[in-house]
Amino acid sequence: METIDISGALGLIAMVVLTLNIVLGIMLSTAYKQTKYWQKMPTKWKAYKIIDIHNYTAYVALVIVFLHFIIIPLDPSSKFSFIHLMFPLNAPHQPYFVLLGVISFIALLLVVITTQKIIKKKLGTTTWRNFHVISYATGLLFIIHGLVMDPLLKDRPIDFLDPEKLLVQFCALILIAAFVYRWNYKTKSK
Ligand code: HEM
C-alpha cells in the first residue's frame, strides 16, 4: 500500500468517525432519551454514555485527520511539501478543495479546544455553544473535500460510483438527515 493510499484510507475513517460524532452531538441536543426510538433500543445499547462516546470520537477523529494529512508529503509522487499543508492555496493539486480540508481540521481543533473544561468555563455556555455550532459547517466542508479530492492526486473528475466516493455520499446523506432532524426539533420546540 502506497503512502497516499494510507492517507486516503485515514481520510475516509476520519470522515466516518466525524459523521458519527456529529450524529451523537445532535442526539444530545435533542433530548434523545425521550424519543420512542431510544426507548425501544435494547437495554444494552441504552447503557452506553452517549456524551462520552461523543467526546471520545472527537479526539479520535482529530488524531486520524492529523495522520491523514501529515503523511501526504512523505510520498514524493504527491508533490506536496509540509509548507503546502500550511498554505493550501499553493498546493500542487486541487488547492481550493485542500483548503476546505484545512478549514475542517482547524474548525475541529477549535471545537475540541473550546470544550476543554477550563476554557469552556471561561467562555460561558453561550459562547461555547456558538463555537460548537461550527461543527455543522465542518460537516459540510469535509464532505465536499472528501468527495472532490482525487485519492490518486491526478486531478481526475469525481467518480461518483467509486466505492470510496459512495461512502462519502452515504455519510453526506446521514448528515443531511441529522441536520433536518435537528432543524425540525428546533422549530417545533420554539
Ligand atoms: C476534517 C478534516 C478532513 C477530513 C474528514 C478529510 C477526509 C478526506 C477524504 C474522505 C478524502 C478522500 C479519500 C478517498 O477518496 O480515498 C480526502 C482526501 C484528501 N485529503 Fe483530506 N480530510 C480532512 C482534512 C485534510 C487536510 C487538513 C488536508 C491537507 C492539509 C487534506 C488533504 C487531502 C488530500 C491531499 C487528499 C487526496 C489524497 C488522499 O486521498 O489522501 N485533508 N480527505
Side-chain angles (χ1 to χ4, degrees):
M1 211 181 190
E2 303 283 329
T3 309
I4 206 65
D5 300 328
I6 300 172
S7 161
L10 289 170
L12 290 167
I13 298 170
M15 175 193 68
V16 172
V17 176
L18 278 174
T19 302
L20 174 68
N21 175 269
I22 296 175
V23 168
L24 294 175
I26 288 178
M27 279 171 69
L28 289 165
S29 64
T30 53
Y32 70 98
K33 282 189 178 165
Q34 288 162 23
T35 63
K36 56 177 190 262
Y37 306 107
W38 182 258
Q39 278 157 13
K40 278 183 198 159
M41 289 272 178
T43 325
K44 223 172 149 186
W45 283 49
K46 283 198 266 186
Y48 288 113
K49 277 198 169 168
I50 300 295
I51 181 84
D52 289 348
I53 309 175
H54 176 64
N55 287 339
Y56 178 68
T57 46
Y59 293 125
V60 171
L62 193 63
V63 174
I64 301 175
V65 173
F66 182 74
L67 294 173
H68 159 63
F69 68 78
I70 207 71
I71 64 171
I72 296 172
L74 303 180
D75 189 332
S77 69
S78 75
K79 299 198 180 83
F80 270 74
S81 71
F82 288 101
I83 303 287
H84 292 133
L85 303 180
M86 281 179 281
F87 301 99
L89 288 178
N90 295 328
H93 301 282
Q94 301 175 287
Y96 293 110
F97 297 101
V98 175
L99 176 68
L100 295 191
V102 173
I103 298 174
S104 307
F105 173 69
I106 295 170
L108 176 62
L109 194 63
L110 261 180
V111 171
V112 169
I113 292 173
T114 53
T115 304
Q116 298 313 302
K117 267 186 192 151
I118 309 175
I119 300 177
K120 191 176 170 183
K121 216 174 159 186
K122 278 194 179 149
L123 288 174
T125 315
T126 314
T127 316
W128 169 78
R129 192 165 290 139
N130 288 341
F131 270 108
H132 230 70
V133 169
I134 296 176
S135 314
Y136 294 109
T138 312
L140 182 74
L141 296 189
F142 71 67
I143 289 291
I144 299 173
H145 164 84
L147 191 61
V148 181
M149 286 309 296
D150 175 7
L152 296 181
L153 286 177
K154 289 183 178 161
D155 303 331
R156 295 170 303 167
I158 311 167
D159 175 2
F160 286 95
L161 297 178
D162 175 274
E164 291 165 359
K165 299 305 176 196
L166 282 173
L167 180 62
V168 181
Q169 292 166 75
F170 179 66
C171 287
L173 280 180
I174 292 181
L175 285 176
I176 292 169
F179 292 161
V180 170
Y181 180 77
R182 180 69 184 91
W183 181 259
N184 284 342
Y185 179 85
K186 190 183 166 198
T187 45
K188 270 184 205 154
S189 57
K190 261 185 185 172

